[in-house]
Amino acid sequence: MPSLRFIKLANVFEQLERTTSGNKMREILARFFKTVPKKEIDIIAYLLLGQIASKYEDINIGMAEKMVLRSIAIDSGRAEKEVSSTFKKLGDVGLTAEKLTTKSKPTLTVAQVFNTLHKIAAASGPGSQEFKIKTLAALLKKASPKEARYIARIILGTLRLGAGDMTLLDALAIAFTGTKANKPKLEHAYNICPDIGIIAKTIAIKGLKGIEKIGVTVGRPIQMMLAQRAKSVQMIKEKIPGVIACEEKYDGERVQAHFDGKRIILFSRRLENTTNQFPDVVEGLKKSIKAKSYVIEGEVVPIDEKGNLLPFQILMQRRRKYDVELYVKKIPVCLFLFDLLFLNGKSYIHKPYPERHKALQKIIKPTKRIKLANRKLCKEIDCIEDFFNWCISHGAEGIIAKSCAPDSTYKAGVRGWLWIKWKQEYQKLADTFDLVVVGAFYGKGKRAGTYGALLCAAYNHKLDRFETFCKLGSGFTDKQLAELPKKFAKYKIPHKPARLLVHKDMKPDVWFTPAVVVEVLGAEITRSPLHTCAVEKGQGLALRFPRFVRYRADKSPEQATTVKEILDMYKERK
Ligand code: ATP
């Protein structure tokens, strides 16, 4: 089968862009997947997400708005000034490319576009900017107006069709197994191999049997195992029978380190490649871990010169592309390791936690910068409490209690009762929620010119949709408030996000594609007719007196607090 004509994909982009319903979106995608050549379904899946590879691959096209406008000028033979003024009028580079491109008939194939975008991404060093501009101009020359619109948007990362990885999994299950009921099987494989392209190609060519065989590969991240919240220490003991491994809960950034025998790659909780951000951690691992290959996990935490733990906010300064070496010196970190998922060619995810931990202990030689997470094996509540108090006394957030039972395998991407978190803040009955910003209301009076409140939503994992939970207007510093419009400008969309469930009377002034996650402190969960979180008989759950705590740049929208977690908390407190 020859490569799909790009115009067919562009037509689907257009349909998706126009829909405001998540279910409709899934239908469109499922129908489309059935018609595409199976051998290139992987690249089609990436393009539907506005990507040219899996996110963890860290491939950047590296073209800014101005560069794309120059390509449009070359393609159309117009002066750059004219292109700029068309852009100013239309406000979107995609629409500018569409308006000014000269070709009318579509001739491009998906493979041609995909390969050219990779060629552009691969160019680096002196002269690469010119090369990128000219290569894109040549591609636009062959593109019809509609194709040009979407090529420009993919390049700039502004495609925003509203579909996420989970939406594509649903559509793939429908297209290739006939029912959405098989999505959990796809999701299980996706948790071990979070690469939508590989999942799409495997299900399309090898079916469910192929999906079941997907395993761990060094260099490809694994979705991280998560912890449930405990209401009390008693609850930990009820949920975890026998020996409980209590580990210190560090407030830093989760790191999954992969070593294939040659190279160390670090992944964040969002599965982004963070290797360049932490050259000190890479060096530390080289000295401290002796093995032929591995995948290990830990939490990276800022420390002072005496090795004391420092707050999470300080670590945020290490999120940078430039001046990395300077900040390595300025903000030293320590990696506290707590799990092992792969060792010397063998996957360990199906082995119980004690076995994984033993293997981890064997390969580590602790140093100032690479240590094992502090832990204590407990059977009784007193022991858990003592350890918790000790952790708090020197700056940790709390503990993570871990099961040592034979079934305590590594559950990729799952928030279950094998790991239970118990934090100091729970004792104060102050809970925080990680919510996705989906809209905003203009400010009035003192807040004129910025936003008065952000509309925040939780994630409904079962239905792959976002449900509103609160309007967030307090807790921001003056500076943070003033910066809101700029921070959110690139996420603005003209209508409600397709995967958002919203009450008809909830009408923010601006809508955002779900992208930014904020941590919010709340006083109480109540019922409200205006919110859609866990809605029942016309009443949703809502957070009273929400206060902004911090941005959670380490979380993706689908990693926000789930509707189920909120419902469980609401029921517990009633
Ligand atoms: P929170 O917002 O409470 O930090 P979270 O939503 O980021 O939690 P959870 O799964 O609820 O993630 O809590 C587990 C997180 O705690 C892990 O992702 C990891 O980053 C961190 N952590 C710190 N110390 C440990 C440890 N010893 N074992 C496991 N995770 C740990």
Side-chain angles (χ1 to χ4, degrees):
M1 213 171 172
S3 177
L4 188 79
R5 291 175 61 213
F6 187 67
I7 190 67
K8 293 209 167 158
L9 182 58
N11 288 337
V12 172
F13 286 157
E14 192 170 54
Q15 282 178 45
L16 292 173
E17 199 175 23
R18 286 189 183 150
T19 176
T20 53
S21 144
N23 285 339
K24 187 89 192 292
M25 194 169 246
R26 277 178 267 270
E27 271 170 37
I28 297 170
L29 286 166
R31 229 180 302 127
F32 178 55
F33 278 144
K34 282 189 201 161
T35 66
V36 309
K38 290 183 176 172
K39 69 172 184 358
E40 64 178 17
I41 194 169
D42 48 351
I43 64 178
I44 290 169
Y46 297 136
L47 290 170
L48 282 164
L49 294 167
Q51 297 161 205
I52 60 164
S54 207
K55 269 194 210 122
Y56 68 80
E57 283 191 82
D58 202 21
I59 294 178
N60 283 315
I61 294 184
M63 287 188 83
E65 222 164 62
K66 270 202 176 134
M67 288 167 75
V68 179
L69 291 175
R70 277 191 58 201
S71 301
I72 297 173
I74 299 173
D75 162 39
S76 60
R78 310 208 185 206
E80 279 177 39
K81 253 192 172 164
E82 194 187 335
V83 176
S84 288
S85 85
T86 309
F87 168 57
K88 269 191 199 126
K89 249 186 261 154
L90 298 174
D92 172 44
V93 182
L95 295 178
T96 312
E98 178 170 21
K99 180 141 201 239
L100 299 181
T101 198
T102 47
K103 190 161 176 73
S104 57
K105 280 223 171 89
T107 56
L108 289 168
T109 65
V110 164
Q112 238 174 324
V113 174
F114 187 77
N115 293 337
T116 311
L117 296 186
H118 269 274
K119 218 160 103 186
I120 295 175
S124 65
S128 63
Q129 283 212 359
E130 276 314 301
F131 175 84
K132 285 175 195 268
I133 291 167
K134 282 192 186 138
T135 311
L136 175 59
L139 183 67
L140 290 176
K141 259 226 159 352
K142 295 183 200 140
S144 65
K146 198 191 285 179
E147 290 173 317
R149 184 204 312 168
Y150 292 113
I151 289 172
R153 287 189 185 158
I154 293 170
I155 296 239
L156 291 172
T158 56
L159 192 62
R160 286 189 219 115
L161 301 174
D165 286 17
M166 289 301 125
T167 325
L168 261 63
L169 285 189
D170 269 332
L172 288 167
I174 300 167
F176 296 107
T177 75
T179 163
K180 221 168 103 172
N182 280 320
K183 175 169 170 216
K185 290 185 185 156
L186 263 67
E187 197 179 341
H188 178 72
Y190 173 87
N191 281 337
I192 296 168
C193 162
D195 184 321
I196 205 77
I198 296 178
I199 301 287
K201 208 165 185 170
T202 309
I203 188 76
I205 295 175
K206 296 186 182 156
L208 282 174
K209 280 221 168 76
I211 286 289
E212 276 158 21
K213 286 197 190 125
I214 289 179
V216 175
T217 295
V218 181
R220 186 174 73 199
I222 300 156
Q223 290 275 12
M224 299 184 190
M225 180 165 173
L226 303 169
Q228 282 280 10
R229 307 178 192 219
K231 206 169 50 171
S232 61
V233 183
Q234 182 64 36
M235 190 172 180
I236 297 178
K237 194 151 156 39
E238 282 162 18
K239 293 280 183 187
I240 305 181
V243 178
I244 302 164
C246 295
E247 290 185 357
E248 185 156 10
K249 185 177 193 307
Y250 301 92
D251 193 11
E253 226 185 298
R254 182 103 165 236
V255 165
Q256 194 177 80
H258 290 235
F259 177 59
D260 62 2
K262 289 191 191 111
R263 216 160 50 109
I264 292 175
I265 307 176
L266 307 180
F267 293 107
S268 71
R269 179 160 173 184
R270 288 187 79 153
L271 311 184
E272 286 161 340
N273 186 323
T274 49
T275 318
N276 293 337
Q277 214 176 299
F278 295 114
D280 44 346
V281 173
V282 171
E283 278 315 301
L285 286 169
K286 278 186 196 160
K287 283 189 199 130
S288 189
I289 308 287
K290 291 282 164 275
K292 287 191 191 116
S293 61
Y294 60 73
V295 178
I296 52 179
E297 269 188 13
E299 187 91 348
V300 78
V301 192
I303 49 166
D304 66 15
E305 64 281 1
K306 287 190 192 128
N308 296 316
L309 306 176
L310 296 173
F312 167 86
Q313 277 82 347
I314 294 180
L315 189 67
M316 288 299 99
Q317 296 179 53
R318 291 284 304 262
R319 278 183 175 266
R320 54 178 57 249
K321 280 200 187 125
Y322 308 103
D323 297 332
V324 172
E325 286 302 335
L326 180 72
Y327 277 80
V328 163
K329 289 201 187 93
K330 229 169 139 177
I331 298 163
V333 296
C334 179
L335 175 64
F336 291 94
L337 290 166
F338 52 73
D339 218 321
L340 177 143
L341 283 59
F342 189 94
L343 181 63
N344 299 336
K346 248 178 40 194
S347 169
Y348 271 61
I349 58 170
H350 300 300
K351 295 187 190 289
Y353 161 81
E355 214 177 305
R356 302 198 308 274
H357 201 270
K358 210 163 140 198
L360 178 63
Q361 278 175 336
K362 268 196 184 156
I363 58 167
I364 180 174
K365 201 173 95 225
T367 59
K368 222 170 118 189
R369 291 304 162 80
I370 309 284
K371 293 188 188 337
L372 273 176
N374 286 314
R375 68 169 203 162
K376 189 171 181 190
L377 299 177
C378 292
K379 275 191 178 155
E380 300 308 328
I381 287 186
D382 281 358
C383 171
I384 303 173
E385 273 177 349
D386 282 353
F387 183 68
F388 175 82
N389 290 332
W390 177 80
C391 291
I392 298 300
S393 70
H394 68 273
E397 268 194 302
I399 58 168
I400 303 235
K402 299 184 177 178
S403 166
C404 294
D407 67 349
S408 60
T409 55
Y410 188 91
K411 300 263 190 288
V414 174
R415 194 183 287 281
W417 292 105
L418 291 174
W419 286 13
I420 304 179
K421 55 183 173 177
W422 171 241
K423 292 206 244 180
Q424 192 180 28
E425 64 180 52
Y426 299 168
Q427 294 183 318
K428 297 182 209 146
L429 282 182
D431 255 315
T432 66
F433 304 82
D434 298 324
L435 304 173
V436 188
V437 180
V438 290
F441 300 82
Y442 291 136
K444 293 190 188 106
K446 244 178 85 181
R447 291 206 182 170
T450 182
Y451 297 133
L454 302 176
L455 181 61
C456 298
Y459 181 56
N460 185 328
H461 177 261
K462 214 166 149 201
L463 299 174
D464 179 34
R465 71 179 185 202
F466 299 95
E467 302 180 359
T468 71
F469 184 46
C470 68
K471 274 165 72 173
L472 174 67
S474 46
F476 299 101
T477 62
D478 287 347
K479 188 164 172 262
Q480 282 167 336
L481 260 184
E483 282 169 355
L484 287 177
K486 200 169 155 221
K487 181 166 176 79
F488 284 91
K490 61 174 177 234
Y491 305 114
K492 263 193 206 172
I493 47 172
H495 52 69
K496 167 193 99 60
R499 287 187 293 151
L500 176 70
L501 183 69
V502 70
H503 188 276
K504 65 176 179 16
D505 294 334
M506 181 63 80
K507 291 179 181 149
D509 298 301
V510 207
W511 291 110
F512 301 126
T513 193
V516 177
V517 177
V518 285
E519 185 173 329
V520 180
L521 185 73
E524 196 191 342
I525 304 171
T526 55
R527 283 276 173 199
S528 149
L530 269 184
H531 287 287
T532 55
C533 178
V535 72
E536 211 185 288
K537 293 186 194 140
Q539 298 266 330
L541 293 178
L543 188 63
R544 291 191 67 202
F545 306 119
R547 285 185 68 79
F548 173 82
V549 180
R550 61 188 178 185
Y551 289 107
R552 286 294 303 252
D554 60 326
K555 282 199 169 183
S556 68
E558 284 82 3
Q559 288 172 338
T561 303
T562 61
V563 167
K564 182 169 181 307
E565 283 176 86
I566 295 175
L567 190 61
D568 287 348
M569 276 187 244
Y570 175 69
K571 284 183 188 158
E572 266 165 25
R573 291 202 192 141
K574 262 211 318 191

